[in-house]
Amino acid sequence: MVLLPALIRGDAVMKRRGSFALILSMLVATFSVRMAATEHPDLTGERLVVYISFHEEEGRRLLDLFQVRTNVDYTYLRIPTGELVARVIKEASAPQAHIILGGTADAHQLLANEGLLEKYVPSPAEHIFEKFRSPDHYWTGIYLGAISIGINENRWKREFEGQGVEKPSTFEDLLNPRFKGEIILPDPRTSGTGYTLLASLIQLWGEDEAFAYFRRLDQNVGEYTTTGFTVAQKTALGEYLIGINFIHDQLLVKKSGFNLSSTIPPGAGWEIGCVSMIKNSQSSSAAKAFLDFMTDREAGQLHTNLTERISTRSDVMTPLGAKPWAEIPINLDYDLYLAAKLKTKYLKGWEERVLRIN
């Protein structure tokens, strides 16, 4: 039996943290020395509820540091982006959380379009480029990520090396019939990663060409996952040869010791991962303080260290093994606002034209 490294496990359960491990204390002490001091309010007696849409361990570590800084009491729930959006919409009349941490900007923008997010401008956000922030102040980008092709190098060497098969480096390369059943993708109906892949290729190629492509690619797909990170996990473990998800997830499992290579294909879609405040929730002082905290350099550097993501702050170091954002061959014309506006249409097309669900 293969045991997953602790770093890549996660459970979608509500958890309350009251004590801190020694490693966290050492990490906080290190950050206290290396980072310039930032004023944080005393939130003793305040309670913060956070919906997390990236890896649970990373969210918990950030919340633990915020608790050290403010004495706030917190609770969190980790759920995939698509389910998170549906939950916030369902709870609109009586919000059950204050903060959405992580998830693609199109998901946050969809909730903003529905009138479910509160406007707020975190003071540290002045150090984040405007194009990575909501112009209407509903969400703030904290990290960036590009769609990437991940390959299990152990399996490739064992099964394909010397057979005249080129490693896939473009989206079209994934249609090779030799890869039948060996590709794993995130489901765009539940995963923000999957929806970014779908929406970006529709915008790049047009609906007819994109859906025709996904219909052909479906013949090679062995599994659609609920979350994007599961793609990196299962590819790293060798359950699948090829996985398509965000490059930072692939770099994270590679950092954990797995032999996974990554290639960002030309015209790749990309995300702005965001943080936002849910409208009409209580504890607004704690929520605003958390937004300030998450957009500051200290949290930005910790987040990058934990996740291999590229920060939206220029004063946070780029992860080792990641290219600077300006050198990545992404589709610069990808429009997240259009992706948010047309999400229902795009997903209906996915079900009817790719999965053939009527």
Side-chain angles (χ1 to χ4, degrees), residues 88-89 91-93 95 100 107-119 138 277-281:
V88 173
I89 292 174
E91 296 172 350
S93 61
I100 299 171
H108 290 256
Q109 186 60 42
L110 188 153
L111 292 173
N113 293 346
E114 296 291 326
L116 299 178
L117 297 184
E118 193 75 57
K119 291 185 178 183
Y138 286 115
M277 179 167 52
I278 298 173
K279 193 172 185 178
N280 296 327
S281 59

Side-chain angles (χ1 to χ4, degrees), residues 72-292:
V72 75
D73 182 27
Y74 75 80
T75 304
Y76 70 86
L77 175 66
R78 189 272 182 254
I79 41 179
T81 303
E83 294 178 17
L84 187 155
V85 169
R87 187 184 186 102
V88 173
I89 292 174
K90 183 179 180 180
E91 296 172 350
S93 61
Q96 300 300 301
H98 310 108
I99 292 288
I100 299 171
L101 177 59
T104 52
D106 59 87
H108 290 256
Q109 186 60 42
L110 188 153
L111 292 173
N113 293 346
E114 296 291 326
L116 299 178
L117 297 184
E118 193 75 57
K119 291 185 178 183
Y120 182 66
V121 182
S123 55
E126 65 182 6
H127 297 284
I128 296 173
F129 290 116
E130 287 188 8
K131 63 182 177 180
F132 302 142
R133 294 182 271 151
S134 163
D136 298 316
H137 312 305
Y138 286 115
W139 49 263
T140 305
I142 54 176
Y143 61 86
L144 306 169
I147 293 292
S148 175
I149 299 171
I151 299 175
N152 184 296
E153 287 294 328
N154 293 338
R155 286 197 55 193
W156 185 271
K157 183 176 182 179
R158 185 169 64 247
E159 301 170 28
F160 288 90
E161 193 172 81
Q163 297 189 27
V165 181
E166 293 290 331
K167 285 184 183 179
S169 60
T170 70
F171 289 115
E172 291 84 354
D173 291 345
L174 299 172
L175 299 177
N176 188 329
R178 293 288 299 274
F179 303 146
K180 184 176 178 63
E182 289 292 356
I183 296 177
I184 183 169
L185 294 180
D187 191 324
R189 296 170 297 180
T190 59
S191 164
T193 308
Y195 184 66
T196 298
L197 174 63
L198 174 66
S200 62
L201 289 185
I202 289 175
Q203 291 185 20
L204 185 65
W205 294 336
E207 288 189 38
D208 290 340
E209 184 177 347
F211 281 124
Y213 169 80
F214 280 111
R215 193 159 57 245
R216 292 177 63 194
L217 182 63
D218 181 65
Q219 299 173 28
N220 286 351
V221 175
E223 182 180 351
Y224 293 103
T225 62
T226 302
T227 70
F229 189 56
T230 304
V231 170
Q233 288 177 302
K234 291 195 172 188
T235 306
L237 290 171
E239 293 183 35
Y240 293 93
L241 176 69
I242 301 167
I244 316 300
N245 64 334
F246 287 126
I247 189 168
H248 45 252
D249 290 338
Q250 297 170 12
L251 293 175
L252 188 61
V253 296
K254 183 177 181 178
K255 184 179 179 180
S256 298
F258 292 97
N259 192 10
L260 194 70
S261 65
S262 301
T263 301
I264 297 174
W270 53 284
E271 71 162 336
I272 305 173
C274 303
V275 63
S276 63
M277 179 167 52
I278 298 173
K279 193 172 185 178
N280 296 327
S281 59
Q282 303 299 315
S283 296
S284 62
S285 59
K288 291 177 180 178
F290 186 72
L291 292 179
D292 290 340

